């Protein structure tokens, strides 16, 4: 546990690094102080060879109820343009290790955008996802119009963004926004188990797999397939590929070196 964070609880569970948003008085509303700490913690996990996967989570009541409305309310257009605030979401996207967003309770606005910036989302049955910015006279500003549309398709994204309607965990599962929904009682345990299963895989292959899947959102099919082929071939230069295949043939568990 790192004592230097004010709005974050950071701990390590085996090879899983956990960053828990902790501003309970504001339902984890994301202000620049919290986002700065989060990005700092993610960079530290990314640089730590003993960590294989990262979990970003919140409280039982709220993953995050959005960007901090009180911090933004009086800002002008130039102030917003010059603000580094939205850049924190870009910084999360640049983390190389897999990040699981483990969502319980409210996951709204910038909070939903933060979860979508992570690599996969798992939810407690209590989770509620939404982009309610329209109710404030604005639109999502940290990637929501783009990432939600890619995740759930045009009609559902339009409905959520134009009406501000919140969707349940079950709806999020049905629409493909989340990969799993766990019972509230076992949600954290199951989320950590999933992250641990990821963290146990070959580190270089994990990093390259994340890059390759993300490439699907940034390129044509032909370019993406070419990227995948080069990345696939490149992994044959790693010791972990030799170990993984030798272990399969020798019917034993592989021991990854991360090189
Ligand atoms: N920013 C700042 N403070 C927030 C907040 C937010 N996004 N969400 C909640 N809070 C604060 C409330 O002001 C309240 O503080 P006080 O006790 O000091 O008044 C405290 O958290 C508890 O909130 P509520 O009393 O409202 O709790 P509730 O259970 O009645 O309602 C809720 C919960 C439905 C989530 C409601 O708080 C809410 O609608 N929050 C705002 C959601 C929202 O609009 N998010 C989008 C923000 S804009 C954005 O994110 C832009 C972007 O794309 C980057």
């Amino acid at each position: 546990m790192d004592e230097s964070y004010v709005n974050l609880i950071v701990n390590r569970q085996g090879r899983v690094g956990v960053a828990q948003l902790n501003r309970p008085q504001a339902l984890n509303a994301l202000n620049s102080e919290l986002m700065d700490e989060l990005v700092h913690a993610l960079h530290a996990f990314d640089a730590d060879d003993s960590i294989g996967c990262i979990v970003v989570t919140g409280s039982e009541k709220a993953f995050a109820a959005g960007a901090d409305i009180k911090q933004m309310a009086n800002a002008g257009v130039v102030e917003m343009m010059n603000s580094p605030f939205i850049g924190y979401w870009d910084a999360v996207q640049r983390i190389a290790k897999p990040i699981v967003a483990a969502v319980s309770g409210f996951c709204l606005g910038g909070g939903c955008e933060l979860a979508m910036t992570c690599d996969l989302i798992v939810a407690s049955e209590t989770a509620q996802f939404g982009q309610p910015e329209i109710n404030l006279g604005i639109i999502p500003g940290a990637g929501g119009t783009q990432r939600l549309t890619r995740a759930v398709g045009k009609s559902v994204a339009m409905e959520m963004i134009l009406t501000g309607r919140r969707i349940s965990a079950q709806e999020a599962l049905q629409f493909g926004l989340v990969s799993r929904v766990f019972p509230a009682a076992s949600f954290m345990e199951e989320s950590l188990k999933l992250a641990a299963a990821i963290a146990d895989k070959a580190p270089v292959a994990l990093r390259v797999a994340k890059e390759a899947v993300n490439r699907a959102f940034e390129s044509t099919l032909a370019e993406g397939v070419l990227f995948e082929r080069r990345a696939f071939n490149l992994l044959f230069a790693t010791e972990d590929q030799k170990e993984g295949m030798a272990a399969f043939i020798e019917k034993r568990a592989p021991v990854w070196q991360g090189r």
Side-chain angles (χ1 to χ4, degrees), residues 8-247:
L8 211 58
I9 299 170
V10 171
N11 63 68
R12 292 165 173 74
Q13 311 217 4
R15 288 184 55 76
V16 177
V18 182
Q20 181 182 7
L21 312 178
N22 186 36
R23 259 194 100 201
Q25 72 282 14
L27 299 178
N28 291 335
L30 304 168
N31 60 14
S32 45
E33 292 79 12
L34 193 165
M35 287 305 292
D36 196 61
E37 289 185 5
L38 176 63
V39 167
H40 185 276
L42 296 180
H43 280 148
F45 284 144
D46 218 19
D48 183 342
D49 286 345
S50 70
I51 295 295
C53 183
I54 302 165
V55 171
V56 175
T57 193
S59 68
E60 201 180 332
K61 186 161 183 207
F63 177 78
D68 190 319
I69 297 168
K70 292 167 190 167
Q71 200 171 56
M72 286 183 297
N74 294 320
V77 58
V78 177
E79 199 179 334
M80 289 305 283
M81 283 169 74
N82 291 338
S83 165
F85 185 58
I86 301 291
Y88 288 119
W89 279 254
D90 300 335
V92 173
Q93 205 205 343
R94 286 193 294 271
I95 297 296
K97 286 179 184 159
I99 310 179
V100 176
V103 173
S104 176
F106 297 115
C107 183
L108 305 176
C112 188
E113 291 165 306
L114 175 61
M116 292 190 292
T117 306
C118 297
D119 298 306
L120 65 120
I121 307 176
V122 296
S124 162
E125 60 194 347
T126 65
Q128 293 184 42
F129 298 86
Q131 297 288 164
E133 289 88 345
I134 200 79
N135 298 325
L136 301 168
I138 57 168
I139 67 168
T145 60
Q146 306 305 300
R147 290 200 177 90
L148 186 64
T149 307
R150 281 166 169 76
V152 303
K154 181 175 167 182
S155 267
V156 175
M158 279 288 188
E159 185 194 324
M160 288 175 68
I161 290 167
L162 299 185
T163 70
R165 178 171 87 83
R166 302 201 288 259
I167 61 168
S168 68
Q170 277 307 328
E171 283 178 293
L173 183 65
Q174 182 193 333
F175 298 147
L177 181 59
V178 308
S179 70
R180 303 282 289 274
V181 176
F182 298 123
S186 59
F187 152 73
M188 212 47 229
E189 189 190 332
E190 295 289 351
S191 302
L192 289 171
K193 210 190 287 176
L194 178 67
I198 295 171
D200 277 347
K201 307 299 181 199
V204 184
L206 277 181
R207 180 186 177 135
V208 172
K210 168 171 171 162
E211 270 182 54
V213 174
N214 280 332
R215 188 54 70 107
F217 296 99
E218 308 290 347
S219 62
T220 63
L221 179 61
E223 284 164 351
V225 168
L226 184 61
F227 179 90
E228 179 196 84
R229 196 147 312 156
R230 289 193 176 136
F232 172 75
N233 292 338
L234 196 67
L235 287 168
F236 284 75
T238 64
E239 290 177 23
D240 285 347
Q241 174 270 326
K242 300 287 173 284
E243 167 65 6
M245 293 194 179

